[in-house]
Amino acid sequence: SFPIVVLISGSGSNLQALIDQSLQGELDINICAVISNKADAYGLERAKLAGIATHALNHKSFGSREEFDSELQKTIDQYQPKLVVLAGFMRILTETFTKHFEGRMLNIHPSLLPKYKGLNTHQRAIDANDTKHGVSVHFVSSELDAGAIILQASTSIEKEETAETLAVKVHALEYIIYPLAVKWFREDRLTLHNGHVILDGETLPESGI
Ligand code: GAR
């Protein structure tokens, strides 16, 4: 089996997409734990319903980012996961932490990176009058939202678009591309090498696939 740990902060709908695909036999993974920095994250309920172990680690009860990340690392490591999946995990991570999981930690970010790192990505894309927006899956590096990109999917921004309607469209793309990237990693087709993504033996361009 292929143990993975998923980190969340909120609704966990991307976690649900992974759970569903694994239950349907489309993704041969074993989600052994879900960890949230918020005890009231709905994603923890989704995990419990699926019989997955859960942990709530409140970052506010730690004296520093280093102490929180160190406890988070310990909590993850006890499961010896082959892959760590950030699915709406809204904390900035220390370099020690990201180095420890280098090449085996993925994130999904709701923008066409390198555009709109950070927060409020949908509104920022609308405010910039962009006609296209989307989502990126990338390996996590020490720099926020700047790790090597694996794949992206895009959608149009229409005239009447709001951050809410755009979020719905982006979510639909997320549920397709995140499980796909996890599947590639699971099948040993995807690796990080010297900061570059290798898929099926080929180095991907900066913007992924
Ligand atoms: C997703 O849209 C994900 O791309 C975004 O949070 C949402 C989580 O939704 N992630 C980030 O903004 C990371 N900086 P979910 O909890 O329903 O999966």
Side-chain angles (χ1 to χ4, degrees), residues 85-103:
V85 172
L86 308 186
F89 185 66
M90 304 304 277
R91 297 297 303 164
I92 290 174
L93 297 162
T94 58
E95 187 160 7
T96 309
F97 184 90
T98 55
K99 277 268 173 324
H100 179 74
F101 293 107
E102 190 166 34

Side-chain angles (χ1 to χ4, degrees), residues 3-142:
I4 80 172
V5 169
V6 180
L7 270 51
I8 62 164
S9 299
S11 158
S13 65
N14 279 285
L15 163 69
Q16 191 69 57
L18 293 170
I19 292 172
D20 291 348
Q21 287 218 4
S22 87
L23 287 176
Q24 288 156 13
E26 284 158 34
L27 195 54
D28 182 22
I29 56 170
N30 170 25
I31 305 174
C32 39
V34 171
I35 306 171
S36 173
N37 64 310
K38 296 201 166 164
D40 63 353
Y42 180 63
L44 290 175
E45 302 307 316
R46 297 182 191 268
K48 284 173 196 156
L49 281 171
I52 300 167
T54 61
H55 298 261
L57 268 190
N58 183 355
H59 58 278
K60 291 179 187 156
S61 53
F62 292 83
S64 66
R65 214 179 267 290
E66 285 71 23
E67 287 166 74
F68 171 69
D69 279 11
S70 156
E71 186 61 29
L72 185 58
Q73 183 179 313
K74 263 191 251 164
T75 309
I76 298 170
D77 280 349
Q78 66 181 309
Y79 293 98
Q80 297 187 276
K82 294 228 164 77
L83 180 66
V84 177
V85 172
L86 308 186
F89 185 66
M90 304 304 277
R91 297 297 303 164
I92 290 174
L93 297 162
T94 58
E95 187 160 7
T96 309
F97 184 90
T98 55
K99 277 268 173 324
H100 179 74
F101 293 107
E102 190 166 34
R104 53 192 183 105
M105 181 158 63
L106 304 182
N107 183 41
I108 189 157
H109 182 76
S111 80
L112 295 171
L113 290 171
K115 281 188 145 186
Y116 312 125
K117 294 169 183 169
L119 300 175
N120 301 318
T121 57
H122 308 313
Q123 192 59 53
R124 285 158 68 200
I126 292 170
D127 292 346
N129 285 315
D130 290 359
T131 55
K132 251 179 58 174
H133 183 53
V135 58
S136 309
V137 174
H138 63 91
F139 279 104
V140 174
S141 71
S142 58

